[in-house]
Amino acid sequence: MPNSLTTTQIMEILPHRHPFLLVDVIEDYETLKYAYGKKNVTFNEPFFAGHFPGMPIMPGVLQVEALAQTGAVAILADEKFKGKVAVFAGIDSCKFKRQVVPGDVLELKTEITALRGPVGIGHGVASVNGEVACDCVIKFAVVNA
C-alpha cells in the first residue's frame, strides 16, 4: 500500500513554502529510497510572469528543484534527518527533453541511489503524460536548519 502525503503533510517534512514549494502531493515514498510526487502547473505560478510573456514555460531549474524537493521528502522523513534541510551539492547529467507549460501535471520521481551519512545522490525524472521533461542526477547534503 503506498505511503501518500498531502501538501500540508509535505510542509511538516520540508521547510519550503509558497511560492517555492514545488511539490503538491507525494503519491508514494519509502524513506531513504524513493519518492513519487506531482506538481500541478498552473498559469498562476509567479515565474510565468517573466518566463516568458506570451509563451509560458516552466524554467528547467525549477523542474530540477521540484525533483530535489521530491527526493528530500524521502530523506527528511527519516527519523535521523527530521528537522534538517537537504541542500544541493551538485547536479550532473541534466537533460531537458520537453517544455512544461500551464495545465501540465508534472510527475516527479526521485530515487536515492547513494547515501553515506548526510551526503547522497538521487536520480530524478520529471515527466508529463509519460513523456520525459527532465532527467538528472542530484547530489545533496543534509544540514542543520
Side-chain angles (χ1 to χ4, degrees), residues 6-45:
T6 65
T7 305
T8 303
Q9 292 169 315
I10 293 168
M11 290 191 300
E12 292 172 5
I13 298 169
L14 298 182
H16 304 80
R17 296 297 180 264
H18 177 79
F20 212 68
L21 179 61
L22 298 174
V23 182
D24 293 327
V25 66
I26 295 293
E27 294 186 326
D28 190 22
Y29 74 99
E30 184 176 339
T31 57
L32 307 180
K33 299 216 181 272
Y34 68 86
Y36 304 150
K38 286 188 178 177
K39 164 71 178 154
N40 295 305
V41 182
T42 71
F43 185 73
N44 293 325
E45 308 288 348

Side-chain angles (χ1 to χ4, degrees), residues 42-64:
T42 71
F43 185 73
N44 293 325
E45 308 288 348
F47 49 81
F48 284 137
H51 198 270
F52 297 99
M55 190 176 132
I57 300 172
M58 183 177 188
V61 68
L62 295 182
Q63 295 173 46
V64 174

Side-chain angles (χ1 to χ4, degrees), residues 4-5 17-18 20 24 28 31 34-36 40 42 60 70 80-81 91 103-104 106 134 136 144-145:
S4 61
L5 299 170
R17 296 297 180 264
H18 177 79
F20 212 68
D24 293 327
D28 190 22
T31 57
Y34 68 86
Y36 304 150
N40 295 305
T42 71
T70 301
K80 69 182 166 201
F81 294 127
I91 302 167
D104 285 343
L106 196 59
C134 176
C136 62
N144 291 328

